[in-house]
Amino acid sequence: HFTVYDADDQKACIKEILGSNEFSSDDILRNIERYKTDVCLSDGPWNVRGDYDAFFLDVANAYIAAGKRANALDYTDILTMTVRLFRDAPTVAAWHRQTWPTVLVDEYQDTNPLQEAWLDLLAPPDQHRDITCVGDDDQSIYAFRAANVENILQFGVKREDATIIRLEQNFRSSSDILDHANKIISNNVARHGKTLFTTR
């Protein structure tokens, strides 16, 4: 019995807190998401406060308090609460693992540290083998939304017996386009490496 804040609700809440349009609510909300993630993945807010200025902390705490008063959660709250629940109540995490023994993650390159923490609790690397993650490390474009390409790059390291399958055949583009694409993406530093080809 709670309300889920969408983007418009979140922006309205920030505007009410600030009483002004002088600040970018998108920037503030991205930082609030990062702050909530940092707090969830650390031992507590006292460990991350030094990374944020006093003004931002006042706004973030007012936003969090407003959500509690409205009995509302945003998307990050849902993830942080699930991570905490799985971490603090192992029997609940075990029940979910048993209920969903097979896990599929799509667009894995766009997952953030909070989603990766939740995935590790749902499908622990040391005990869960039935997991498939699909993604393209060369298409990671959401770093501004906290996506971390290291999640996909470290998958085979974290899950040592994983099989990595490169899907290199492209069915949409001509060889000219793929030749140019291969030259460009070969400059990416953090990548598994692949050579795209087509029969067109």
Side-chain angles (χ1 to χ4, degrees):
H1 303 290
F2 59 88
T3 300
V4 177
Y5 272 171
D6 63 16
D8 289 338
D9 296 323
Q10 290 178 284
K11 289 176 184 176
C13 185
I14 291 297
K15 186 175 179 183
E16 188 175 318
I17 289 166
L18 295 174
S20 156
N21 289 323
E22 148 181 15
F23 300 97
S24 163
S25 56
D26 287 336
D27 290 343
I28 290 172
L29 287 166
R30 265 196 296 274
N31 280 323
I32 288 174
E33 178 181 347
R34 188 169 62 93
Y35 174 68
K36 288 179 179 180
T37 298
D38 288 347
V39 170
C40 181
L41 300 181
S42 72
D43 294 330
W46 49 89
N47 285 338
V48 299
R49 287 185 181 277
D51 296 335
Y52 300 91
D53 65 41
F55 170 77
F56 168 77
L57 289 170
D58 286 345
V59 173
N61 288 326
Y63 173 83
I64 292 166
K68 286 181 180 174
R69 283 193 306 275
N71 198 31
L73 301 175
D74 62 24
Y75 181 64
T76 305
D77 292 324
I78 293 170
L79 282 171
T80 58
M81 293 179 91
T82 305
V83 166
R84 286 188 183 115
L85 176 65
F86 280 23
R87 202 170 50 201
D88 298 343
T91 55
V92 174
W95 183 89
H96 282 83
R97 279 185 221 113
Q98 190 173 12
T99 303
W100 295 290
T102 303
V103 176
L104 169 64
V105 180
D106 195 16
E107 301 294 352
Y108 190 41
Q109 77 278 356
D110 294 330
T111 56
N112 62 37
L114 192 55
Q115 292 165 325
E116 181 74 356
W118 174 74
L119 184 62
D120 285 347
L121 290 162
L122 180 64
D126 59 339
Q127 55 186 275
H128 197 288
R129 296 171 55 88
D130 294 326
I131 180 170
T132 301
C133 293
V134 180
D136 183 350
D137 48 326
D138 287 319
Q139 292 189 43
S140 180
I141 59 171
Y142 290 109
F144 69 95
R145 286 198 331 216
N148 184 1
V149 72
E150 285 299 314
N151 294 346
I152 193 171
L153 294 175
Q154 293 300 311
F155 183 79
V157 175
K158 187 186 285 187
R159 298 171 189 273
E160 296 175 4
D161 59 347
T163 301
I164 296 176
I165 301 168
R166 287 173 174 80
L167 303 177
E168 297 178 304
Q169 184 171 2
N170 184 296
F171 296 94
R172 295 179 183 164
S173 303
S174 68
S175 56
D176 282 347
I177 291 171
L178 293 183
D179 288 344
H180 289 293
N182 282 323
K183 287 176 186 170
I184 292 169
I185 64 175
S186 67
N187 293 302
N188 290 351
V189 178
R191 66 190 301 259
H192 282 304
K194 67 185 78 66
T195 302
L196 302 175
F197 70 93
T198 185
T199 56
R200 291 182 64 188

